[in-house]
Amino acid sequence: MSRAFKFGQIATTLFGITLVAFFLIRLVPGDPVTLLIGERGASPEAIAELKARIGLDRPLVEQYGLFVWNALKGDLGVSILSGRSVGAEFLERLAATAELGLTALMLATLVGVPLGIFAALHRGRLFDRLSMGLAVSFYSMPIFWWGLMAIVIFSVKLAWLPVSGRIGVEHDVILKSGLLLVDSWLMPGSLAESWAAFKSVIHHLLLPASVLATVPLAVIARMTRSSLLEVLGEDYVRTARAKGLSRFRVVALHALRNALIPVVTVIGLMLGTILTGAILTETIFSWPGLGRWLVSAVLSRDYPVIQGGILMVAVVVLTTSLLVEIFYYFISPRSRGRG
Amino acid sequence: MRVTQEALRSIRRNLGGPLIIVAMALLGLTTFFAIFAPLIAPYDPARTFEGAYSLPPFFLEGWDSRFLLGTDDVGRDLFSRLIHGARISLLAGFAVTVLSLTIGVVLGALAGWKGGFIEAAILRLMDTMMALPSILLAIVVVTILGPSLVNAVIAAAVTAVPGVVRLVRATIREEKAKPYSLSAKLYGAGGFRIVTVELLPNSLAPIFVQGTMGFGEGILNVAALGFLGLGARPPMAEWGTMLADSRAYVESQPWLVTAPGLCILIVILSFNLLGDHLRDVFDPKLKTREEA
């Protein structure tokens, strides 16, 4: 597949996303203006005036054209509800979701990969059965329920971790990067205060990130196990063993290198799963991220937020999968031949 | 005689470990509950008992022998609601699976067989749907149609379609390249006939596995929409909706939240175990690798 073709595909998909985001949401009964000022209480003239101000009185095709044209110029419009720029709001929310999602992905990788490796090395034995049983249970977990249970156990009963939010109210962190893990070090005040704020951020992250990590952890562990088992059956592994290399050397230096290629790919492509999980996790933990932002925008028919937000989410997802593909191209010589 | 022995041995071999038998037993039990829900459940799931509010289950102090698993905040019997919930969830999962498989197989077969522009158009449409987090797509679909159990099923089915399309397209393409496809063509069979009579029956195994996994995922997504208040409406005894309803009592009466969630987990876990096992059975390539 040529590079130009690939970019053509992505462009077509993005074009499709603009169509879906723009027209689907206008199929939803009820418009933002009526929802904003209520069905009663406003004169038809006032409603018409507000609609004209937002540009909702123009023909649909013209509105759509304007949306795409402005989006190409990097302007996603202004939220009807908050009056703020959609692009700025998106970046702010993205940072919150990224902090949660990347922490979850890191947790899932740090636990999932070793679990998969040990399961593969002890194939058929108790550890393998137990860990793979655990993995399939995690994979089947309704995380909206899991999150509630986690709150009951760790926040309410044991009182170890906070129930919701991103940081304790007593810390005055100023948003710079949007990632509180970073911003807690950039805040004014002593190092001790920064450290306290940082600890508070970690405390708030731990529970939602673990809940969000549940499904990815299972996928990564299972993928690592089956991939390593496959590689361990290859001739070159047998050759390495026959040369008299230690089992550790064979697994760690020879087999793992190839076995982890599909695992890395899966981790990269897990972004969609993370975002889906984030929508549910953010609802449970009142996390001010993308998921809650978009859901409340859909419920209040905030057209600019929905169309701009969905478009940007798609851009993020497609960019990541493209990066994964490029990465795959470089680390797996086999995929290059097919080009 | 020998044939039955062979059959028995093959069944035993394909039955897998004790875990698979437990999973199948649990699914059988759930199906039994679902079919005979009105006969098994002691009460109507929506019936409220005055004065019997928030009673604890049998293993806690102060339970009422009329209500085995206790009652919720408006005095409805939890046991009866869970049993009826099995009926709703299984039906919903079944509907999601049938709907998504039907649409997915038609589109996937079309793409795999025709190739060219039709294939590109279908695949781009699926890419578009997959570029959005599935629950977001489902939320948009449900807001358009209005929150209800049926619409949650439609939304969950829509989000499941791209996976089926990609799978069916890939297998049809693979089968299409095999000699028997060409020979059917040389016999003068039309495209529709070749796809439906020759290629699809040979592609059933992966579709079947996907269907089993999709069943569990369908139940999960419908429950998730119910939890977000976009699925079945209360007082309907849907597990996800029940979870959302009792969220406020998660501290005072944790069993109201624990029980429906456990039901969802057990059913989905059973479907996934079964799906995993079916994949091992149907994918001989994987199996020889495992045994090697």
Side-chain angles (χ1 to χ4, degrees), chain A residues 132-194:
Chain A
M132 285 306 111
L134 192 72
V136 77
S137 313
F138 274 15
Y139 183 73
S140 313
M141 195 62 80
I143 65 166
F144 45 94
W145 172 70
W146 189 226
L148 284 179
M149 297 317 280
I151 290 181
V152 171
I153 298 170
F154 294 104
S155 302
V156 179
K157 292 267 189 287
L158 299 172
W160 285 351
L161 296 163
V163 176
S164 64
R166 292 179 70 190
I167 189 168
V169 281
E170 69 274 19
H171 306 284
D172 329 298
V173 171
I174 303 155
L175 282 178
K176 286 203 178 103
S177 65
L179 300 169
L180 289 182
L181 284 175
V182 178
D183 288 344
S184 57
W185 296 105
L186 301 176
M187 70 187 234
S190 67
L191 216 57
E193 281 170 47
S194 280

Side-chain angles (χ1 to χ4, degrees), chain B residues 87-170:
Chain B
R87 182 175 247 199
I88 294 170
S89 280
L90 280 193
L91 259 180
F94 182 71
V96 170
T97 313
V98 169
L99 211 61
S100 60
L101 279 187
T102 313
I103 303 171
V105 166
V106 169
L107 288 180
L110 203 64
W113 176 256
K114 286 280 185 188
F117 175 74
I118 292 182
E119 182 181 30
I122 291 177
L123 286 184
R124 284 301 78 69
L125 183 65
M126 294 307 128
D127 277 356
T128 308
M129 290 167 73
M130 283 176 123
L132 293 177
S134 59
I135 194 96
L136 187 61
L137 188 64
I139 288 171
V140 173
V141 172
V142 171
T143 3
I144 294 171
L145 300 172
S148 78
L149 181 62
V150 174
N151 293 339
V153 165
I154 294 175
V158 167
T159 61
V161 163
V164 182
V165 169
R166 289 185 155 208
L167 177 82
V168 173
R169 171 195 161 258

Side-chain angles (χ1 to χ4, degrees), chain B residues 238-251:
Chain B
E238 196 271 324
W239 290 337
T241 312
M242 286 166 68
L243 261 180
D245 276 357
S246 41
R247 244 187 100 168
Y249 311 100
V250 71
E251 286 174 44

